[in-house]
Amino acid sequence: MTNLPSHTEKKLGLLIDLDICVGCHGCVTSCKEWNSTDDMLPLSDFDSYGDNPDGVFLNRVHGYEIDDGISSQTVHFPRSCLHCETPECVTVCPTGASYKRQEDGIVLVNPDSCIGCKLCSWACPYGAREYDHKQGIMKKCTLCVDRIYNEELAQEERKPACVLACPTSARLFGDFADPESEVSILSEKRGGMTLMESLDYKPVNRYLPPREKQSEKTENAINTFFASENGYVGRNQTQANNAGLDSFFTWLDDKLSSKNI
Amino acid sequence: MNPAYSVILFTVLSGAGYGLLAILGFSAVVGLVMISPAINLTMLVVALVLITAGLVSSTSHLGRPERAWRALSQWRTSWLSREGVFAVITYVPAVLLGIVWITEISPNLRLFTLFNVSSYLWVLGGAGSILSIATVICTGQIYATLRTIPAWYYLLTTPIYLLLSVVSGFVIWMFLMSLFGYKTEPTVILMGVFLLELALILKWVYWRYVDRSDFGVTKADAIGFASLTKVQNLEPAHQTKNYLMREMGYQVARSHSVRLRRFASWTCFIIPGLCLLLMLLAPSYQLIGNMTAVVSLFVGLLTERWLFFAEAKHVVTRYY
């Protein structure tokens, strides 16, 4: 049924910390691995080892350079389904294959009734849905619904594969409807961000912004300190300014790097 | 957006078919040009062939065409489902109209013996007309309600779909009339010219809108940062194109689109309009003039529809 539930008992989702994500793509591969080998239909691949590899992924990590006018920094940005509260990917579905669960808010596709019209992927602003050419149906993040309630797994393993795989614990899984949950508290404390809020899809997943970096003042102080300690003012002028042991190493470094050894 | 040929063919062919059926139904209601049941039947068959060819073409866009029937279930929320429902229901009055006309041609067949359906002709015609228009409106609404694609999320998207459907049906209707040797009334011809040029104006307004349309969200909004933060691509998420980039990231060069818009304006609206005027001035050239109008119109419609998809940008491209 493509009518959205007026209320979901839980709002399960992910809290992704952009401050500590290192862009290792571990979540991407573990997602692909879990969703290709368990009960679910595999995420198809084409030409895997050829010149033009292609395949279905439910999670991707983009790398951006962010400049807010004061400083610039690298941000690794994992992108997957945000399990929106008002997902238009569900309401546009002509078959009822797409649905949002009342009990936990997870947005799913029923692979047995999807006709592969791709309209849901057109309706999603976040690129969360991909078409599987081999099976002729749409695929999307299930929040590892086959893990999180799986009683055959140990309690600590009942989390989405991407969350378990993250080596820096940049991904947290929890219930955003519960104000006492870890994700709610952290999101509240660190200003969890919503993507494209103005479109009003009401995404459940939140992103924690990078923590404020050292101020310009501190950075300047550090630069001055190192400049006075090492006489370091830039590679081109090193020979003229250095003295003692430092200049010996600089000389050695220059000699070694100018020769092709 | 990727201009899928199956969908382009569907919207153009079925659009024309529903337009023709709407006009045929309308003429049955007002009893205006009920020339002969044989001609009416021929027109009905042409309309149904166009509609069916388009619908069949649209199912080839599906990953699982054998499950297409499931698309009739979610009419409460989905315009695509509503389109499917109306498309199927439209066949009912259309086929009944056909049976009435077959009975009129050969009364011995006695397809309706219980009651005289012929006296309900206006009901069938009206139903066929309204359902055809409803189907086309649903088609337009599928696109006009997608907030992710500003070029389609626009007041004129559905009216243009409807107008182009009616116009193409109208030109075919006039052509079939000419084919059967009937002289088209000058007022009818002028009506055709008016509709064609009205469509041209609306299309130009639409193109001007497309040129100015904007996502309303920046790259920074897409990743949750303050709108004015400068965000540049650093490391791609994947090295080869994926489904999103092929389906949603289709791009057409600005110079190409200007040329194609000009081509579509001429072939879809101006040349057919001139052909109709030629019919008015030189009635002896009616058939050839009308035929040229039909051919040019369809070339134009296919170009216009290709542009409708190719020029539409999807907000997911903000991530790439």
Side-chain angles (χ1 to χ4, degrees), chain A residues 1-4 18 23 25 51-55 60-68 73-77 79 82 86 88 90-97 110-119 121-131 133-138 193-201 207 209-210, chain B residues 1-2 4 7 59-82 142-143 145-149 152-153 215-226 228-244 246-248 309 314-320:
Chain A
M1 182 54 70
T2 53
N3 276 328
L4 297 173
L18 297 182
H25 296 249
D51 292 337
N52 221 358
D54 186 13
R60 290 290 200 182
V61 180
H62 298 253
Y64 299 112
E65 192 174 67
I66 312 273
D67 187 351
D68 59 6
Q73 59 180 312
T74 302
V75 167
H76 302 287
F77 179 83
R79 178 178 57 77
L82 308 170
T86 53
E88 287 186 12
V90 170
T91 51
V92 300
C93 175
T95 66
N110 179 353
D112 296 326
S113 54
C114 175
I115 58 173
C117 72
K118 311 174 191 83
L119 187 55
S121 68
W122 293 8
C124 174
Y126 308 106
R129 287 167 174 254
E130 291 200 13
Y131 178 65
H133 292 271
K134 254 181 208 163
Q135 294 154 28
I137 56 174
M138 301 305 294
M193 307 186 295
T194 308
L195 311 186
M196 296 197 253
E197 208 165 3
S198 60
L199 287 180
D200 205 30
Y201 280 55
Y207 288 78
Chain B
M1 300 296 292
N2 172 41
V7 181
T59 60
S60 73
H61 176 69
L62 303 178
R64 293 295 193 104
E66 78 281 6
R67 296 178 180 172
W69 59 272
R70 289 180 184 273
L72 304 176
S73 65
Q74 302 303 311
W75 48 269
R76 287 180 198 84
T77 63
S78 167
W79 284 104
L80 178 54
S81 185
R82 287 171 199 161
I142 294 172
Y143 304 105
T145 53
L146 288 172
R147 289 186 291 151
T148 46
I149 305 162
W152 297 348
Y153 188 63
F215 291 129
V217 288
T218 61
K219 217 172 167 64
D221 290 319
I223 60 169
F225 285 74
L228 295 176
T229 312
K230 215 174 112 195
V231 180
Q232 277 181 297
N233 290 343
L234 192 65
E235 294 160 335
H238 36 86
Q239 281 148 334
T240 51
K241 280 195 171 188
N242 68 345
Y243 165 74
L244 298 175
R246 283 190 305 266
E247 182 78 0
M248 259 72 87
F309 287 96
H314 194 287
V315 71
V316 78
T317 52
R318 279 286 190 245
Y319 289 105
Y320 286 94

Side-chain angles (χ1 to χ4, degrees), chain A:
Chain A
M1 182 54 70
T2 53
N3 276 328
L4 297 173
S6 57
H7 168 81
T8 58
E9 280 139 49
K10 285 183 181 177
K11 290 178 190 174
L12 294 186
L14 299 172
L15 181 69
I16 298 169
D17 191 343
L18 297 182
D19 190 62
I20 53 176
C21 173
V22 291
C24 71
H25 296 249
C27 52
V28 177
T29 41
S30 67
C31 166
K32 178 92 174 171
E33 188 270 340
W34 174 260
N35 287 295
S36 294
T37 48
D38 202 63
D39 305 345
M40 300 285 174
L41 292 161
L43 302 173
S44 303
D45 282 320
F46 304 88
D47 195 23
S48 308
Y49 302 99
D51 292 337
N52 221 358
D54 186 13
V56 183
F57 282 80
L58 309 182
N59 182 27
R60 290 290 200 182
V61 180
H62 298 253
Y64 299 112
E65 192 174 67
I66 312 273
D67 187 351
D68 59 6
I70 301 161
S71 61
S72 69
Q73 59 180 312
T74 302
V75 167
H76 302 287
F77 179 83
R79 178 178 57 77
S80 59
C81 175
L82 308 170
H83 298 277
C84 302
E85 287 178 51
T86 53
E88 287 186 12
C89 57
V90 170
T91 51
V92 300
C93 175
T95 66
S98 284
Y99 60 104
K100 185 170 175 69
R101 290 167 31 128
Q102 175 145 22
E103 60 267 41
D104 51 19
I106 299 180
V107 177
L108 291 175
V109 180
N110 179 353
D112 296 326
S113 54
C114 175
I115 58 173
C117 72
K118 311 174 191 83
L119 187 55
C120 56
S121 68
W122 293 8
C124 174
Y126 308 106
R129 287 167 174 254
E130 291 200 13
Y131 178 65
D132 191 317
H133 292 271
K134 254 181 208 163
Q135 294 154 28
I137 56 174
M138 301 305 294
K139 295 287 176 73
K140 72 177 292 300
C141 160
T142 64
L143 218 55
C144 284
V145 71
D146 52 343
R147 283 195 73 94
I148 58 177
Y149 298 115
N150 193 337
E151 288 175 1
E152 286 172 25
L153 296 174
Q155 187 63 45
E156 63 273 21
E157 295 245 311
R158 291 181 205 166
K159 287 177 179 175
C162 58
V163 172
L164 289 170
C166 183
T168 61
S169 298
R171 302 174 76 93
L172 298 168
F173 165 68
D175 178 12
F176 284 89
D178 173 12
E180 300 302 311
S181 69
E182 187 189 15
V183 288
S184 296
I185 292 168
L186 254 179
S187 177
E188 179 68 27
K189 201 172 107 191
R190 286 190 43 209
M193 307 186 295
T194 308
L195 311 186
M196 296 197 253
E197 208 165 3
S198 60
L199 287 180
D200 205 30
Y201 280 55
K202 299 193 179 72
V204 168
N205 285 12
R206 292 278 189 279
Y207 288 78
L208 296 178
R211 286 187 179 84
E212 223 171 291
K213 297 292 180 275
Q214 291 158 319
S215 70
E216 293 281 298
K217 201 177 162 188
T218 323
E219 263 178 44
N220 285 340
I222 291 167
N223 287 341
T224 321
F225 173 77
F226 278 113
S228 60
E229 278 287 291
N230 303 334
Y232 179 80
V233 273
R235 196 179 155 78
N236 294 339
Q237 294 167 8
T238 46
Q239 275 187 329
N241 292 340
N242 284 354
L245 213 59
D246 278 345
S247 62
F248 168 73
F249 282 123
T250 312
W251 170 82
L252 188 68
D253 182 43
D254 280 0
K255 283 294 157 201
L256 289 174
S257 51
S258 61
K259 276 180 187 160
N260 295 322
I261 46 174

Side-chain angles (χ1 to χ4, degrees), chain B residues 142-284:
Chain B
I142 294 172
Y143 304 105
T145 53
L146 288 172
R147 289 186 291 151
T148 46
I149 305 162
W152 297 348
Y153 188 63
Y154 182 47
L155 199 69
L156 283 182
T157 301
T158 303
I160 290 174
Y161 253 93
L162 184 58
L163 185 59
L164 289 178
S165 159
V166 171
V167 161
S168 51
F170 197 76
V171 175
I172 296 173
W173 178 79
M174 281 197 287
F175 170 66
L176 292 175
M177 292 288 276
S178 311
L179 202 64
F180 286 110
Y182 285 88
K183 187 180 168 295
T184 317
E185 291 288 323
T187 42
V188 172
I189 294 178
L190 284 175
M191 179 81 176
V193 176
F194 170 74
L195 289 177
L196 277 168
E197 303 325 311
L198 177 67
L200 174 65
I201 292 166
L202 290 187
K203 202 65 215 186
W204 272 104
V205 173
Y206 172 81
W207 281 327
R208 275 180 68 92
Y209 162 78
V210 169
D211 289 340
R212 289 176 191 172
S213 69
D214 181 70
F215 291 129
V217 288
T218 61
K219 217 172 167 64
D221 290 319
I223 60 169
F225 285 74
S227 292
L228 295 176
T229 312
K230 215 174 112 195
V231 180
Q232 277 181 297
N233 290 343
L234 192 65
E235 294 160 335
H238 36 86
Q239 281 148 334
T240 51
K241 280 195 171 188
N242 68 345
Y243 165 74
L244 298 175
M245 294 171 86
R246 283 190 305 266
E247 182 78 0
M248 259 72 87
Y250 192 90
Q251 284 195 320
V252 51
R254 185 79 194 103
S255 57
H256 276 347
S257 92
V258 167
R259 228 174 294 145
L260 284 170
R261 281 180 190 182
R262 215 173 291 147
F263 179 75
S265 301
W266 278 95
T267 49
C268 195
F269 308 107
I270 301 172
I271 293 173
L274 291 173
C275 289
L276 295 193
L277 287 177
L278 176 80
M279 284 162 60
L280 200 63
L281 300 172
S284 51

